[in-house]
C-alpha cells in the first residue's frame, strides 16, 4: 500500500501538523519524513494561522482537542478565510456528534489515536490528491480570470452577448455598432481569451460563472 | 276553724290598712308611706284585729255557757288569749289579756256590768290575769320557736332545691362536654386510642375501627399490635414498653394494616395523662397517616440516588475519557515512532542514525506512558487512611437502617444474624461501610428479577483465626460459574450501567484491612459474598 501511495505524493506538498503535544508532532514528523513527506508542525491553530502562506499546498493533520481554538473551530475559521486545504482530524477519543460535524464540514478523514501507519498515509494521499486537483482548478480559473481582465469594456460586452448565443447582426444592433466592428471585437476576444472556437469560449465563461455562483452561494 | 275566721276577718282589716295610706300620702313619699303602712299592718292593726276577734268570739260563747256553769266561766278567754298570742304574736296576746280582763271584769265578775271588782273576786281576777300573761308568753314563745323552725326548714328546703338544680345542670354540662369530646375525637380524621396506666388498650375511635376493619374486641390489649406490620411491630413494641417504663411520651413510625390488607405508614404518638398526685392515669395515642409524606420522601431519596448514580457514572465516563486521552498521547507517539523506525531500517542504505534516534524516542514515550499510569494510580490511592476502633455489628445495624427504605421499595427484607459479642476492629469505617453497602445493593439488584419473598441475610461471626467474618447472602440466581473468577476484576460488570469498579474497589479495601473478599453460592440458591477483617489485639 505504501508503495502504491508513495508515487502520487508530490514533493511540493507538505503535511501541516497541528497538535499541542510536541511528542505527537515529533512522532508524526519522524514517520512522515521516513516515507518522504515534508511536514511542518505547529502547536496551536493560532500558530499556524500566523504563519499561513497562500502558497501552502498539501493537507492539514489537526488534533480535535487543542488549547485555545479547538480543531472544530479552526475548521470553521478556515472556511471563513477561504482556505480550502483539506483537513484530516485526529483525536484520542472521538465522540460521534463531533465526527459527524467535522465530516459534514468537509474533513477528509477522522483518525482515532493511536492509528495505523497505513490509515494515516492513505488519508494523506487522498487529501493530497484532493488538494492537487483543487489547486489545479484554482490555477485554471485564475488564468481564465486573468485573461478576462485583459478585455476592454466593449470586448467584454461583445463576449457576453456572443456566449449568450446572439448573432453578430443582433449584437451590432444592440450595441449600436456596425457589424464589421462587432466582428473585429469578436476576433480580439477570441485571441485574448486564447479560445480556438466559440464552444471553447463558452466553456471558459461558464467555468468562471459557475465558481462565482458557488462562491456567491457560500457567502 | 279558728284560722278560717281569722282569714275571713282579717280581710276588712286589710282594706282598713289600704285605706290608711292616702291619709299619709300627702306628706310622705310613696316608698316611705308604703313601708309605714306595712309596719302598721304588721305590728298594730293585725295584732289588734286578731285580739279583738278572739275576745269577741270568746265573749259571745261565754254568755250562753255561763248559765250552765256556776262559777265565773273564763276558760274561753284563755283560749282567745292563747289563739291571739299564737297567731298575732306577743302584742296581740297582751292586747287580748287586757281586753279579756276588761270584758271579764265588766260582765262576769260581780258586781256585773261594772269595771269595779268585788273584794272576794280580786284574787280570782289576779290569778286569771297572771295565767293569761303566762299563756301569752308561752304561746307567743312557742309560736316564735315554731316560726323559726319553719323558716329554717324552708331555707334548708330552698338550699336543697338550689343544690339539686345546680347538680343537674353541671351533670348536663359534663355530659355535653363529654359528647363534644367524643364528637371531636370522631371528627379528627386520625386514629385515636386510649390505654390504661399499664398500657392496656381500652378504647379506639371509629376511624381506627374503620381503617383496620376490626371490632373493639380485636383491638384491645395485646391484640392491638397485630395490626402493625410484622417488621415494624418489634420496634414499635420496644418503644412503647420504654415509654411505659419511663412515663415519657412515645413516638414511632410504623406500617399499619388496613381492612383491605394493605399497609400504610403511620406516625404513632402517645402521651401519658397524669392524675393530681402525678401518677399516670392513662395514655392517649394517635396514629397519623404519613403514607403520602413517606412516599414523597422515598421518591426524593430515590431521585437523589439516581442523581448521585448518574453523576457517578458521568464522572466515571469523564475520568475515563481523560485517562484515555492522557494515555493515548504517548502511545500514539510510541506507535508513530515505531513505524518511522521500521521505515528508517527499510531504506537502502539503512539510515542507522535516524533509526537509533527514533528508537530512543520510543523508549522516552513508553516511559511517559507508564508515568501516566502511575499518576492515575496515585489519584485513586488514599494516602491518609482514617482508622479507628469500631464495632462491626453497630456498623451493620446502621447500614440496615440506612437501607431500610430502599429495601422496602424493592420488596426485600434485610435480616440480621449477628454474633452476640464481637471484638472491636481497627478500621476505616467509611470504607468498610462502603463495602457492606456495595454488597447489599448488589444483592438487591441480583434479586430484582426474583419473585418475592426476597430476603437478604447479613451475618457476622468470629472466626477461629481471630478475624471477623461478615457475609451477605441473597436469594437471587447466584453467580454463574463462568463469570465467577472475573467478578472482582476492574471494569467487569454484568450491569449495563455498571462501571465494573464496585467489587474491585471492595476487594482492595478489604485487602487493605488485612482481609479477604470472596463469593460462594449459597445452598439456598443465592449468592453469598463474604469478607474477613482482622480484629484488634
Amino acid at each position: 500500500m505504501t508503495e502504491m501511495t508513495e508515487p502520487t505524493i508530490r514533493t511540493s506538498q507538505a503535511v501541516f501538523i497541528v497538535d499541542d503535544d510536541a511528542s505527537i508532532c515529533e512522532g508524526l514528523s519522524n514517520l512522515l519524513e521516513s516515507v518522504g513527506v515534508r511536514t511542518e508542525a505547529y502547536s496551536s491553530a493560532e500558530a499556524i494561522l500566523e504563519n499561513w502562506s497562500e502558497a501552502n499546498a498539501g493537507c492539514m493533520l489537526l488534533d480535535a482537542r487543542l488549547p485555545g481554538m479547538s480543531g472544530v473551530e479552526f475548521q470553521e475559521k478556515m472556511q471563513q478565510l477561504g482556505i480550502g486545504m483539506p483537513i484530516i482530524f485526529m483525536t484520542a477519543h472521538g465522540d460521534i456528534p463531533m465526527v459527524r460535524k467535522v465530516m459534514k464540514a468537509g474533513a477528509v478523514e477522522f483518525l482515532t489515536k493511536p492509528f495505523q501507519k497505513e490509515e494515516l498515509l492513505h488519508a494523506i494521499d487522498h487529501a493530497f490528491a484532493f488538494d492537487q486537483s483543487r489547486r489545479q482548478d484554482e490555477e485554471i480559473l485564475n488564468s481564465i480570470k486573468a485573461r478576462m481582465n485583459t478585455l476592454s469594456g466593449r470586448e467584454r460586452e461583445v463576449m457576453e452577448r456572443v456566449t449568450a448565443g446572439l448573432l453578430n447582426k443582433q449584437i451590432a444592433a444592440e450595441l449600436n455598432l456596425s457589424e464589421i466592428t462587432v466582428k473585429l471585437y469578436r476576433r480580439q476576444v477570441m485571441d485574448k481569451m486564447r479560445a480556438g472556437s466559440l464552444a471553447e469560449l463558452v466553456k471558459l465563461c461558464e467555468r468562471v460563472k459557475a465558481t462565482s455562483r458557488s462562491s456567491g452561494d457560500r457567502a | 276553724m279558728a284560722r278560717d275566721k281569722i282569714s275571713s276577718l282579717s280581710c276588712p282589716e286589710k282594706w282598713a290598712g289600704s285605706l290608711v295610706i292616702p291619709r299619709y300620702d300627702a306628706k310622705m313619699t310613696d316608698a316611705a308611706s308604703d313601708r309605714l303602712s306595712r309596719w302598721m299592718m304588721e305590728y298594730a292593726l293585725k295584732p289588734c284585729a286578731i285580739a279583738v276577734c278572739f275576745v269577741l268570739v270568746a265573749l259571745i260563747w261565754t254568755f250562753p255557757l255561763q248559765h250552765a256553769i256556776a262559777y265565773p266561766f273564763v276558760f274561753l278567754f284563755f283560749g282567745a288569749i292563747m289563739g291571739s298570742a299564737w297567731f298575732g304574736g306577743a302584742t296581740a296576746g297582751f292586747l287580748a289579756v287586757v281586753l279579756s280582763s276588761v270584758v271579764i271584769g265588766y260582765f262576769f265578775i260581780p258586781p256585773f256590768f261594772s269595771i269595779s271588782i268585788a273584794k272576794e273576786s280580786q284574787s280570782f281576777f289576779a290569778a286569771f290575769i297572771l295565767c293569761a300573761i303566762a299563756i301569752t308568753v308561752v304561746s307567743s314563745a312557742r309560736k316564735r320557736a315554731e316560726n323559726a323552725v319553719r323558716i329554717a326548714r324552708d331555707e334548708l328546703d330552698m338550699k336543697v332545691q338550689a343544690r339539686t338544680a345546680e347538680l343537674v345542670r353541671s351533670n348536663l354540662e359534663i355530659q355535653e362536654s363529654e359528647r363534644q369530646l367524643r364528637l371531636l375525637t370522631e371528627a379528627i380524621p386520625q386514629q385515636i386510642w386510649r390505654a390504661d396506666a399499664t398500657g392496656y388498650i381500652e378504647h379506639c375511635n371509629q376511624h381506627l375501627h374503620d381503617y383496620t376493619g376490626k371490632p373493639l374486641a380485636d383491638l384491645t390489649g395485646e391484640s392491638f399490635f397485630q395490626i402493625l406490620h410484622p417488621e415494624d411491630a418489634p420496634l414499635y413494641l420496644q418503644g412503647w414498653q420504654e415509654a411505659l417504663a419511663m412515663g415519657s411520651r412515645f413516638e414511632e413510625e410504623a406500617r399499619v394494616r388496613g381492612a383491605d390488607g394493605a399497609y400504610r405508614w403511620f406516625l404513632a404518638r402517645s402521651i401519658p395523662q397524669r392524675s393530681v398526685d402525678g401518677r399516670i392515669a392513662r395514655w392517649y395515642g394517635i396514629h397519623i397517616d404519613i403514607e403520602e409524606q413517606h412516599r414523597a420522601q422515598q421518591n426524593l431519596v430515590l431521585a437523589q440516588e439516581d442523581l448521585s448514580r448518574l453523576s457517578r457514572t458521568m464522572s466515571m465516563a469523564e475520568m475515563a475519557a481523560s485517562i484515555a486521552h492522557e494515555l493515548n498521547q504517548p502511545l500514539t507517539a510510541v506507535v508513530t515512532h515505531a513505524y518511522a523506525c521500521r521505515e528508517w531500517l527499510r531504506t537502502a542504505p539503512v539510515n542507522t542514525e535516524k533509526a537509533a534516534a527514533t528508537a530512543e524516542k520510543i523508549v522516552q514515550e513508553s516511559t511517559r506512558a507508564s508515568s501516566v499510569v502511575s499518576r492515575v494510580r496515585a489519584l485513586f490511592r488514599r494516602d491518609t487512611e482514617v482508622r479507628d476502633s469500631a464495632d462491626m455489628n453497630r456498623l451493620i445495624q446502621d447500614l440496615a437502617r440506612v437501607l431500610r427504605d430502599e429495601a422496602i421499595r424493592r420488596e426485600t427484607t434485610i435480616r440480621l444474624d449477628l454474633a452476640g459479642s464481637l471484638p472491636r476492629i481497627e478500621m476505616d469505617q467509611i470504607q468498610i461501610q462502603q463495602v457492606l453497602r456495595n454488597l447489599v445493593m448488589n444483592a438487591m439488584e441480583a434479586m430484582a428479577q426474583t419473585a418475592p419473598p426476597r430476603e437478604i441475610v447479613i451475618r457476622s461471626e468470629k472466626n477461629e483465626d481471630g478475624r471477623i467474618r461478615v457475609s451477605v447472602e441473597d436469594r437471587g440466581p447466584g453467580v454463574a460459574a463462568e463469570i465467577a473468577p472475573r467478578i472482582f476484576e476492574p471494569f467487569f460488570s454484568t450491569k449495563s450501567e455498571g462501571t465494573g469498579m464496585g467489587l474491585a474497589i471492595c476487594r482492595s479495601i478489604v485487602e487493605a484491612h488485612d482481609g479477604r473478599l470472596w463469593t460462594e453460592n449459597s445452598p439456598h440458591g443465592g449468592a453469598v459474598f463474604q469478607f474477613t477483617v482482622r480484629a484488634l489485639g
Side-chain angles (χ1 to χ4, degrees), chain B residues 70-81:
Chain B
Y71 207 73
F73 185 73
V74 293
F75 299 106
L76 287 178
F77 288 97
F78 282 129
I81 291 162

mmCIF file of all heavy atoms in Angstrom, chain B residues 70-81:
data_model
loop_
_atom_site.group_PDB
_atom_site.id
_atom_site.type_symbol
_atom_site.label_atom_id
_atom_site.label_comp_id
_atom_site.label_asym_id
_atom_site.label_seq_id
_atom_site.Cartn_x
_atom_site.Cartn_y
_atom_site.Cartn_z
ATOM 1 N N ALA B 70 -121.666 27.269 137.036
ATOM 2 C CA ALA B 70 -121.958 28.215 138.112
ATOM 3 C C ALA B 70 -120.866 29.251 138.296
ATOM 4 O O ALA B 70 -121.107 30.435 138.315
ATOM 5 C CB ALA B 70 -122.171 27.430 139.412
ATOM 6 N N TYR B 71 -119.653 28.782 138.394
ATOM 7 C CA TYR B 71 -118.525 29.677 138.682
ATOM 8 C C TYR B 71 -118.232 30.576 137.510
ATOM 9 O O TYR B 71 -118.529 30.197 136.389
ATOM 10 C CB TYR B 71 -117.287 28.802 139.012
ATOM 11 C CG TYR B 71 -116.337 29.537 139.904
ATOM 12 C CD1 TYR B 71 -116.622 29.749 141.265
ATOM 13 C CD2 TYR B 71 -115.167 30.071 139.343
ATOM 14 C CE1 TYR B 71 -115.772 30.452 142.073
ATOM 15 C CE2 TYR B 71 -114.321 30.769 140.174
ATOM 16 C CZ TYR B 71 -114.592 30.960 141.514
ATOM 17 O OH TYR B 71 -113.740 31.676 142.299
ATOM 18 N N PRO B 72 -117.760 31.770 137.778
ATOM 19 C CA PRO B 72 -117.472 32.655 136.634
ATOM 20 C C PRO B 72 -116.647 31.893 135.569
ATOM 21 O O PRO B 72 -115.551 31.396 135.839
ATOM 22 C CB PRO B 72 -116.642 33.790 137.235
ATOM 23 C CG PRO B 72 -116.949 33.769 138.673
ATOM 24 C CD PRO B 72 -117.443 32.419 139.043
ATOM 25 N N PHE B 73 -117.215 31.746 134.402
ATOM 26 C CA PHE B 73 -116.628 30.912 133.327
ATOM 27 C C PHE B 73 -115.742 31.762 132.436
ATOM 28 O O PHE B 73 -116.233 32.604 131.701
ATOM 29 C CB PHE B 73 -117.783 30.287 132.539
ATOM 30 C CG PHE B 73 -117.299 29.324 131.481
ATOM 31 C CD1 PHE B 73 -116.792 28.067 131.851
ATOM 32 C CD2 PHE B 73 -117.330 29.675 130.147
ATOM 33 C CE1 PHE B 73 -116.368 27.214 130.886
ATOM 34 C CE2 PHE B 73 -116.896 28.796 129.200
ATOM 35 C CZ PHE B 73 -116.395 27.546 129.552
ATOM 36 N N VAL B 74 -114.433 31.556 132.571
ATOM 37 C CA VAL B 74 -113.486 32.410 131.829
ATOM 38 C C VAL B 74 -112.528 31.601 130.936
ATOM 39 O O VAL B 74 -111.646 32.163 130.308
ATOM 40 C CB VAL B 74 -112.660 33.264 132.804
ATOM 41 C CG1 VAL B 74 -113.547 34.273 133.502
ATOM 42 C CG2 VAL B 74 -111.957 32.374 133.819
ATOM 43 N N PHE B 75 -112.741 30.309 130.875
ATOM 44 C CA PHE B 75 -111.771 29.456 130.166
ATOM 45 C C PHE B 75 -111.681 29.765 128.694
ATOM 46 O O PHE B 75 -110.647 29.684 128.077
ATOM 47 C CB PHE B 75 -112.115 27.973 130.399
ATOM 48 C CG PHE B 75 -112.056 27.600 131.840
ATOM 49 C CD1 PHE B 75 -113.213 27.389 132.593
ATOM 50 C CD2 PHE B 75 -110.821 27.519 132.490
ATOM 51 C CE1 PHE B 75 -113.152 27.082 133.923
ATOM 52 C CE2 PHE B 75 -110.784 27.198 133.834
ATOM 53 C CZ PHE B 75 -111.928 26.979 134.556
ATOM 54 N N LEU B 76 -112.864 30.196 128.147
ATOM 55 C CA LEU B 76 -112.830 30.509 126.710
ATOM 56 C C LEU B 76 -111.906 31.674 126.438
ATOM 57 O O LEU B 76 -111.259 31.748 125.404
ATOM 58 C CB LEU B 76 -114.232 30.817 126.197
ATOM 59 C CG LEU B 76 -115.152 29.595 126.064
ATOM 60 C CD1 LEU B 76 -116.526 30.036 125.588
ATOM 61 C CD2 LEU B 76 -114.570 28.591 125.097
ATOM 62 N N PHE B 77 -111.806 32.584 127.432
ATOM 63 C CA PHE B 77 -110.897 33.723 127.244
ATOM 64 C C PHE B 77 -109.442 33.277 127.216
ATOM 65 O O PHE B 77 -108.624 33.816 126.486
ATOM 66 C CB PHE B 77 -111.139 34.789 128.315
ATOM 67 C CG PHE B 77 -112.449 35.515 128.079
ATOM 68 C CD1 PHE B 77 -113.607 35.147 128.762
ATOM 69 C CD2 PHE B 77 -112.509 36.525 127.127
ATOM 70 C CE1 PHE B 77 -114.802 35.785 128.524
ATOM 71 C CE2 PHE B 77 -113.718 37.155 126.902
ATOM 72 C CZ PHE B 77 -114.875 36.800 127.586
ATOM 73 N N PHE B 78 -109.158 32.256 128.053
ATOM 74 C CA PHE B 78 -107.791 31.685 127.967
ATOM 75 C C PHE B 78 -107.494 31.229 126.542
ATOM 76 O O PHE B 78 -106.441 31.460 125.969
ATOM 77 C CB PHE B 78 -107.646 30.488 128.922
ATOM 78 C CG PHE B 78 -107.458 30.898 130.362
ATOM 79 C CD1 PHE B 78 -108.242 30.362 131.379
ATOM 80 C CD2 PHE B 78 -106.478 31.834 130.686
ATOM 81 C CE1 PHE B 78 -108.077 30.757 132.701
ATOM 82 C CE2 PHE B 78 -106.324 32.206 132.017
ATOM 83 C CZ PHE B 78 -107.105 31.688 133.025
ATOM 84 N N GLY B 79 -108.559 30.573 125.987
ATOM 85 C CA GLY B 79 -108.394 30.101 124.580
ATOM 86 C C GLY B 79 -108.166 31.258 123.644
ATOM 87 O O GLY B 79 -107.288 31.217 122.777
ATOM 88 N N ALA B 80 -108.960 32.357 123.843
ATOM 89 C CA ALA B 80 -108.817 33.518 122.954
ATOM 90 C C ALA B 80 -107.426 34.127 123.069
ATOM 91 O O ALA B 80 -106.801 34.489 122.066
ATOM 92 C CB ALA B 80 -109.884 34.561 123.301
ATOM 93 N N ILE B 81 -106.953 34.225 124.345
ATOM 94 C CA ILE B 81 -105.610 34.799 124.557
ATOM 95 C C ILE B 81 -104.537 33.920 123.883
ATOM 96 O O ILE B 81 -103.652 34.407 123.179
ATOM 97 C CB ILE B 81 -105.319 34.943 126.064
ATOM 98 C CG1 ILE B 81 -106.212 36.045 126.650
ATOM 99 C CG2 ILE B 81 -103.844 35.275 126.340
ATOM 100 C CD1 ILE B 81 -106.341 36.012 128.166
#
